[in-house]
Amino acid sequence: MENFVFHNETKLIFGKGTIEKIGEEIKVAGLKKVLMLCGSGSIKKNGVYDLATESLKKGQISWVEVWGIKPNPVLSKVHEAVEIARKEKVEAILGIGGGSVIDSAKAVAAGVVYAGDIWDAFVGKYKVEKALPVFAILTISATGTEMNGNAVITNEKTQEKLAVSSKALYPKVSIIDPSVQASLPKEQTVYGAVDAIAHILEYYFDGSDALAQDELSEALIRTIMVCTEKLLNDPNDYEARANFAWSATLALNGLTAAGRRGGDWACHRIEHSLSAIYDIAHGAGLAIVFPAWMKHVWRQKPQQFIRFAKKVFSITSDGETAALDGIEAFKSWLRRMGAPVSLRDVNIPSSDLDKIVENVFRSGRTLGQLKKLDRSDVKKILELAF
Ligand code: NZQ
Ligand code: ZN
């Protein structure tokens, strides 16, 4: 096991009827005016907006609303919200929605206190050390953004989708009421599951040895899989929503990362290029890339892939056959849940593969931990994903 520091800055409030607490939480933090960021309107339909605004009123918090944060959130919208936040002199940012809204809230929170263009932070020209406080009401469990310091934004002008990570960007308080996720379309529940599983696997397959983390990771993956299957049968199954939601938070809040080597993250980098270019859902892109990456790299540490096959999919074959059977079982499960599992499934033509490879390496950063990947590796992975 590697040395580690485990320090999570977020206070998490979890369960039925918890959205009503947001006003009080902002009030006790000594804040009086917030910028509220929202998506395209699901929170108006499922009652979350009313619950949140009633609570703000009770807490005597005033707010300004910015709507229209889209999935795969874009930089121009962050710029727009930064301007409004400055003009309105808000003291904090409240994101109500999924990863796209909350990531945008973090980018805005950092952008307000930075004199330059906040995109500088995403390309490594500026280190985020301060930001306005961020509060979050999560409406879809997937990204773990509710309890981490990451934000992922797409610069639509350059077609780059990049991440920033900072201690200053952990939400001060996040609220998860799993019952409000009953209104999610089925495919969004599945994409959330794929994303959360992918976060666990990025650490699980980074080449490190950490038994406690292996066991925790496998338990979380199995829980997410079982709950996803239940939710596809009954979107209102509260116990399944709650266990899914908590597992997805734990998947990227530092717990499964502790004692590891920082994670591999090649699949995420490749996926971010897919969603930057084609605007597909992050979870959909991961379902396409992950099994292909596994096929390409499993020989780097066969015993971990065999372990995955046995502990997650109860594969009974042995040796290298078990490793490959595990990858196939994972892909079959994704397909069974309704996720796309090939580039063809989302209409990406084979003539585009080189363009995707170039996008992946545009940032100039090295790629992969279990196996360092060069352009030809990524091309091979995309061919396997075709
Ligand atoms: O626009 P609204 O109305 O909010 O609708 C959303 C959106 O259409 C809808 N939705 C959310 N909650 C709902 C609901 N519909 C009905 N009922 C509800 N309760 O779901 C759609 C997808 O929302 P989005 O926020 O895009 O989903 P997700 O949470 O999966 O976020 C994905 C984004 O997060 C990034 C991804 O790359 C992507 O841009 N990531 C962020 C990470 C992080 N901050 O740590 C890590 C991840 O690896 C990931 O990269
Ligand atoms: Zn992800």
Side-chain angles (χ1 to χ4, degrees):
M1 196 187 280
E2 309 288 327
N3 293 358
F4 66 88
V5 175
F6 181 61
H7 183 167
N8 193 296
E9 310 267 340
T10 301
K11 172 178 177 183
L12 192 80
I13 302 176
F14 188 99
K16 279 183 199 164
T18 49
I19 291 170
E20 289 91 323
K21 296 183 189 295
I22 190 66
E24 182 64 18
E25 288 296 328
I26 294 173
K27 188 179 178 181
V28 298
L31 304 163
K32 291 194 173 66
K33 185 172 183 183
V34 302
L35 183 79
M36 183 195 291
L37 287 194
C38 316
S40 67
S42 62
I43 61 168
K44 284 238 165 128
K45 290 189 199 128
N46 62 12
V48 171
Y49 174 84
D50 289 342
L51 290 170
T53 50
E54 275 311 307
S55 174
L56 292 177
K57 280 181 210 157
K58 268 191 203 144
Q60 293 168 318
I61 310 295
S62 64
W63 73 91
V64 181
E65 297 176 15
V66 173
W67 288 83
I69 306 289
K70 65 175 222 57
N72 298 320
V74 290
L75 182 63
S76 58
K77 196 73 192 175
V78 170
H79 287 157
E80 179 192 323
V82 165
E83 285 313 309
I84 296 169
R86 284 190 184 137
K87 192 170 136 252
E88 295 286 341
K89 298 191 170 46
V90 302
E91 298 161 305
I93 314 293
L94 169 61
I96 310 183
S100 297
V101 170
I102 298 169
D103 284 6
S104 299
K106 293 175 180 178
V108 173
V112 171
V113 299
Y114 175 56
D117 179 351
I118 195 57
W119 186 247
D120 289 349
F122 292 83
V123 293
K125 287 189 196 155
Y126 165 64
K127 193 167 182 298
V128 175
E129 278 169 345
K130 54 183 179 164
L132 292 186
V134 173
F135 292 80
I137 297 174
L138 186 76
T139 62
I140 168 173
S141 289
T143 61
T145 189
E146 66 277 11
M147 206 176 184
N148 70 39
N150 310 332
V152 185
I153 298 292
T154 299
N155 182 333
E156 67 270 45
K157 284 198 185 133
T158 62
Q159 277 196 335
E160 286 169 290
K161 185 177 190 185
L162 298 175
V164 68
S165 198
S166 164
K167 243 175 94 166
L169 296 180
Y170 279 75
K172 296 290 164 250
V173 178
S174 280
I175 294 181
I176 305 176
D177 178 343
S179 66
V180 306
Q181 299 190 26
S183 57
L184 278 170
K186 276 187 179 176
E187 72 272 11
Q188 290 296 343
T189 296
V190 172
Y191 296 155
V194 179
D195 193 20
I197 292 172
H199 296 153
I200 298 165
L201 294 182
E202 293 283 10
Y203 291 108
Y204 186 86
F205 289 128
D206 77 352
S208 53
D209 290 308
L211 181 60
Q213 301 307 83
D214 283 346
E215 295 279 348
L216 272 171
S217 299
E218 290 149 2
L220 289 173
I221 295 171
R222 289 194 304 263
T223 307
I224 294 165
M225 286 171 58
V226 168
C227 293
T228 306
E229 290 167 24
K230 287 186 177 176
L231 289 168
L232 290 188
N233 283 328
D234 177 9
N236 292 302
D237 180 338
Y238 179 78
E239 283 306 309
R241 282 282 172 211
N243 283 285
F244 178 117
W246 181 223
S247 302
T249 300
L250 294 175
L252 196 55
N253 78 339
L255 176 77
T256 64
R260 298 287 197 193
R261 289 187 190 149
D264 185 274
W265 299 110
C267 289
H268 265 75
R269 282 263 304 276
I270 297 170
E271 193 303 301
H272 284 164
S273 289
L274 295 183
S275 42
I277 302 171
Y278 306 101
D279 206 13
I280 60 171
H282 177 57
L286 287 170
I288 294 166
V289 174
F290 228 106
W293 173 84
M294 290 166 88
K295 269 188 203 152
H296 187 67
V297 303
W298 70 272
R299 283 181 202 282
Q300 302 294 313
K301 197 168 180 184
Q303 66 275 29
Q304 190 72 354
F305 287 81
I306 295 167
R307 187 185 159 102
F308 170 75
K310 291 186 178 294
K311 301 282 270 193
V312 178
F313 287 101
S314 308
I315 296 292
T316 50
S317 51
D318 287 312
E320 300 195 343
T321 311
L324 291 168
D325 287 350
I327 297 168
E328 269 318 306
F330 182 37
K331 192 168 170 178
S332 301
W333 183 82
L334 294 167
R335 195 185 284 119
R336 222 168 51 247
M337 294 304 103
V341 288
S342 72
L343 293 170
R344 238 178 293 201
D345 286 347
V346 291
N347 300 317
I348 295 176
S350 59
S351 52
D352 276 11
L353 300 195
D354 289 323
K355 177 170 100 177
I356 302 167
V357 173
E358 282 319 305
N359 191 293
V360 172
F361 285 97
R362 192 126 122 223
S363 68
R365 295 174 197 160
T366 59
L367 183 65
Q369 170 76 254
L370 179 64
K371 182 177 185 344
K372 295 271 179 272
L373 303 180
D374 61 19
R375 282 177 164 71
S376 69
D377 288 306
V378 175
K379 180 85 182 275
K380 188 86 205 354
I381 290 165
L382 293 172
E383 282 165 359
L384 285 166
F386 192 70

